[in-house]
Amino acid sequence: MTNHAGNPGDAHIPVMLEEALDHLRCKPGGTYVDATVGLGGHSQGILEKIQPGGLLIGIDRDKETLERAQARLKQISNGFRLLHDNYKNLPLILNNLATGPVDGILLDLGVSSYQLLSPERGFSFHSDAMLDMRMDRTQQWTAADLVNTLSETELADVIYRYGEERLSRRIAAAIVLERSKAPITRCAQLAEIVSRAFKARGHQSIHPATRTFQALRIAVNEELEGLEEFLSEAFGFLKPQGRMVVIAFHSLEDRIVKKTFRRLAGQCVCEAPPELCRCPRQVLACLLTPRPVTPSPEELAANPRARSARLRSLERI
Ligand SMILES: C[S@@+](CC[C@H](N)C(=O)[O-])C[C@H]1O[C@@H](n2cnc3c(N)ncnc32)[C@H](O)[C@@H]1O
């Protein structure tokens, strides 16, 4: 996640940059993947450290951010390739590029502040833009499509599962009632419907629509689908001593990262009592972060948006 002031992208602060670079242990001549390039903050850090002779492969499903990253990275070196793709296609991408195994893979998950703060992208309950939320604008379905076509039960399930929102049923019922009068097409319109469903619930520390918007964003972009499989597959492309570093911004994705990394490190992931545990316990990696790394107080003061970030890393044996 990145922080901005003024135009989206003007003041760009990558989250836990030093920590991510330390954990990746970037070295000159190495080959690294930034699977979520965004505006290229982490990519820039990697590119600077892998010269001379290194190669950075950068992926993002958002074409606009990639164009900005391209302009930024060009000023440092031409030792990079940027690809507009879903990182879930990484195995195909690496096979096509014939890079062989790589030294490190970084994932800085979720939405960028560029996306969040660009009103026309329709991610924010503060804007009155069209309800869109697509990271990849070549994708067909938008948040408005979900809100206007899912059944009440499906909507409630999405809001509960991806937003961990206790009022999911009430919110889904309010959405279905409103859309029977007219389609819900704008961010502010949805934010207002959700806020009304919260009435008489007393003071909220966050905007009442926060969790519903998070849920719709995750659903539209299928952010959690296949994440575990992706991490396992991508791990297979690391060289021995190669490292994978993941920064997650909410507990749902962090839980998947934690579980997958524990499994790769040969630890129990079934949570059964030890005598009943049937986990295969094949040790393929060394866990570098038994506990997640969190942003320093200095970073939080400079960039409060980093507050929910959790970094985990492992090294292939
Ligand atoms: C938190 S931002 C990354 C910010 C970046 N590290 C930087 O310093 O600018 C996450 C980025 O991941 C991209 N993204 C999310 N899911 C993706 C996926 N499945 N495939 C490719 N890119 C994805 C988003 O479009 C967004 O630009």
Side-chain angles (χ1 to χ4, degrees):
M1 172 140 349
T2 54
N3 187 30
H4 308 281
N7 288 332
D10 280 356
H12 171 69
I13 312 176
V15 166
M16 287 198 276
L17 175 62
E18 289 312 317
E19 294 87 339
L21 295 177
D22 279 356
H23 278 258
L24 275 175
R25 214 175 35 187
C26 300
K27 55 173 190 276
T31 302
Y32 292 82
V33 175
D34 182 350
T36 52
V37 168
L39 289 178
H42 292 96
S43 282
Q44 176 175 345
I46 296 171
L47 200 54
E48 283 166 349
K49 288 197 181 281
I50 65 176
Q51 300 314 315
L55 173 65
L56 168 74
I57 296 151
I59 302 167
D60 204 293
R61 70 201 300 196
D62 185 333
K63 213 169 182 175
E64 285 167 38
T65 57
L66 267 187
E67 281 160 11
R68 285 160 198 264
Q70 171 96 17
R72 174 183 194 152
L73 298 178
K74 250 182 4 199
Q75 296 172 18
I76 298 164
S77 146
N78 52 15
F80 68 91
R81 290 283 307 271
L82 294 188
L83 298 122
H84 177 226
D85 211 327
N86 192 315
Y87 61 64
K88 289 171 194 158
N89 295 325
L90 183 65
L92 202 65
I93 291 170
L94 292 181
N95 282 330
N96 284 343
L97 293 176
T99 56
V102 300
D103 295 283
I105 300 174
L106 172 70
L107 264 113
D108 177 19
L109 291 168
V111 69
S112 71
S113 292
Y114 171 76
Q115 291 161 333
L116 212 52
L117 299 182
S118 300
E120 74 281 4
R121 303 297 297 266
F123 280 95
S124 168
F125 40 76
H126 293 303
S127 94
D128 192 29
M130 299 299 286
L131 190 53
D132 188 325
M133 299 197 194
R134 288 169 302 168
M135 290 179 183
D136 180 353
R137 290 171 107 181
T138 64
Q139 172 185 307
Q140 271 197 331
W141 63 95
T142 65
D145 292 327
L146 292 189
V147 163
N148 289 296
T149 59
L150 292 185
S151 70
E152 186 173 330
T153 311
E154 286 168 334
L155 267 176
D157 286 350
V158 163
I159 297 169
Y160 183 73
R161 190 159 160 230
Y162 296 147
E164 299 182 289
E165 171 58 84
R166 283 184 304 115
L167 295 188
S168 57
R169 304 221 166 274
R170 193 198 286 199
I171 293 167
I175 289 173
V176 169
L177 178 66
E178 287 302 322
R179 78 184 188 195
S180 68
K181 301 175 200 159
I184 300 167
T185 55
R186 311 198 75 84
C187 295
Q189 188 187 2
L190 178 64
E192 169 61 22
I193 294 166
V194 177
S195 299
R196 267 190 271 126
F198 268 79
K199 270 245 165 76
R201 280 256 150 186
H203 174 73
Q204 302 287 321
S205 59
I206 53 171
H207 189 290
T210 306
R211 286 186 283 267
T212 300
F213 271 63
Q214 172 185 300
L216 288 171
R217 192 202 86 210
I218 292 174
V220 168
N221 295 294
E222 298 181 327
E223 289 176 42
L224 300 181
E225 272 91 341
L227 178 57
E228 183 168 347
E229 293 76 6
F230 164 75
L231 292 172
S232 304
E233 257 193 292
F235 175 80
F237 282 84
L238 288 176
K239 291 180 185 167
Q241 275 83 57
R243 291 180 168 197
M244 186 181 300
V245 177
V246 184
I247 305 173
F249 287 88
H250 55 78
S251 54
L252 297 169
E253 58 192 16
D254 185 50
R255 237 174 271 154
I256 296 173
V257 179
K258 177 179 167 187
K259 184 174 160 206
T260 312
F261 278 18
R262 284 176 65 102
R263 185 172 48 69
L264 290 167
Q267 299 182 6
C268 164
V269 290
C270 70
E271 288 166 24
E275 63 279 13
L276 297 178
C277 171
R278 297 283 176 272
C279 291
R281 302 216 179 202
Q282 197 187 354
V283 184
L284 304 172
C286 168
L287 209 50
L288 303 173
T289 50
R291 287 174 188 281
V293 179
T294 53
S296 66
E298 293 73 30
E299 175 164 6
L300 289 179
N303 182 12
R305 285 174 192 279
R307 66 185 173 277
S308 50
R310 300 278 176 275
L311 180 151
R312 295 182 189 270
S313 72
L314 53 63
E315 181 174 301
R316 183 168 189 170
I317 290 172

